[in-house]
Amino acid sequence: MTAMTAGAMTAMTAMTATTALLTGTGRTAEASTEGTRLTDPTHSPAFDAPVFDAAAEFDRQVRTLVALGYPALSGSTPRRFAEAVAPLRAEAVARTGGTPGSAEPPYEPAVTGRVPFVLVVGRELAPVEATMPLTTLHGGRLPGFVDRTFEPGSLERFVATEAAEPPGRYGIHLLFDVERGEEFCGAVPGDAMAALGQRGRTLLTIEEGIALMTHVPEILVKNKCFSLGGSRCGDRRVPAIWISKRAPKLGWCWEGNPHTWLGMASAGARHA
């Protein structure tokens, strides 16, 4: 057999790596009967993984978006979609990969309410009305939904505030140091938003909240739901995601009304 040239071997290696990113080689991907919702570790981090692996987590989040049909929503193909977000991988690893040889704390988002990073796709490519139904509770199968209290056309008016404006083309970016903010359960939302601003943290937008639910569904638990103060429409309504009818629901609450089960989600930084 003729020996392969160095260039051919390099091309084959690159193709294998891309295929592994898109398919999750070595992991079982079990699609639901609806063909979109995943029920395996590709859809959410496994609880038996004691330490956070930034590189593996980024690859998993890309595969999750591909499996849920995000490339089709944006008029792209799985391969082009993966190539578009691939440049963010190095930043995710650099910021959250830890120090080699150091002891990292267990990764338990359901317990701690914290996630090192989330890959976000803006509504220009993935409309809220299309992506919210792709979310589920951890271990659940019922699709997320938008509450009927959003009157027709109102979602379009809930846009990112100046402080929460997403970077990057089409809103594709990384959200770092994410917290669901249960310390603010029972607090007046307006007060919670002000407190987080004083800490230098940024409030999550609707798209970022959906991304958090998409990648880490176990973050949403009973009595520890979260508001998304980074998206506003000019009135006193603050969007939020909570549990209703055994599924995630995108609704809203008044900025002056506290709820014992509703905190305020925030992040440390964005990057594109």
Side-chain angles (χ1 to χ4, degrees):
M1 182 180 295
T2 303
M4 295 179 65
T5 65
M9 292 181 66
T10 300
M12 181 172 289
T13 300
M15 182 178 297
T16 301
T18 302
T19 301
L21 173 63
L22 294 174
T23 63
T25 300
R27 304 188 184 190
T28 301
E30 177 188 349
S32 73
T33 55
E34 297 172 282
T36 56
R37 203 160 288 108
L38 300 186
T39 58
D40 73 334
T42 305
H43 188 45
S44 61
F47 277 106
D48 59 359
V51 177
F52 182 78
D53 183 330
E57 174 62 9
F58 182 89
D59 295 345
R60 184 194 68 82
Q61 291 191 18
V62 174
R63 289 196 300 272
T64 294
L65 296 179
V66 169
L68 291 175
Y70 272 64
L73 289 176
S74 61
S76 183
T77 66
R79 187 171 296 276
R80 291 210 314 267
F81 181 86
E83 290 172 350
V85 301
L88 296 174
R89 188 179 193 270
E91 188 70 16
V93 173
R95 291 203 191 193
T96 65
T99 303
S102 65
E104 297 294 329
Y107 178 56
E108 299 178 293
V111 177
T112 65
R114 297 179 178 179
V115 176
F117 70 83
V118 169
L119 178 59
V120 184
V121 178
R123 67 175 67 182
E124 297 91 338
L125 297 181
V128 171
E129 296 87 346
T131 55
M132 189 63 197
L134 299 178
T135 66
T136 65
L137 297 180
H138 181 61
R141 298 183 66 85
L142 296 178
F145 61 99
V146 177
D147 190 66
R148 290 178 297 178
T149 55
F150 282 103
E151 66 274 14
S154 65
L155 266 179
E156 289 78 4
R157 298 198 300 272
F158 279 86
V159 297
T161 64
E162 184 177 353
E165 188 69 31
R169 189 179 184 189
Y170 303 122
I172 297 177
H173 64 282
L174 288 170
L175 190 67
F176 287 104
D177 185 22
V178 185
E179 297 181 359
R180 70 184 164 205
E182 62 259 41
E183 68 173 289
F184 295 107
C185 287
V188 174
D191 295 342
M193 291 187 285
L196 287 166
Q198 291 174 353
R199 297 178 190 176
R201 293 185 62 79
T202 182
L203 304 173
L204 267 61
T205 65
I206 289 177
E207 295 95 321
E208 291 167 343
I210 292 175
L212 179 60
M213 277 301 306
T214 299
H215 296 304
V216 195
E218 58 266 45
I219 200 75
L220 187 69
V221 297
K222 184 178 179 181
N223 296 325
K224 293 182 180 180
C225 305
F226 48 86
S227 294
L228 304 168
S231 291
R232 303 299 297 272
C233 70
D235 60 19
R236 297 176 58 247
R237 292 180 290 177
V238 181
I241 293 178
W242 65 88
I243 301 171
S244 178
K245 301 177 182 178
R246 295 182 296 163
K249 177 170 80 170
L250 174 63
W252 56 265
C253 295
W254 299 115
E255 67 178 12
N257 291 357
H259 297 279
T260 58
W261 44 269
L262 194 60
M264 183 66 64
S266 67
R270 295 178 176 85
H271 174 84

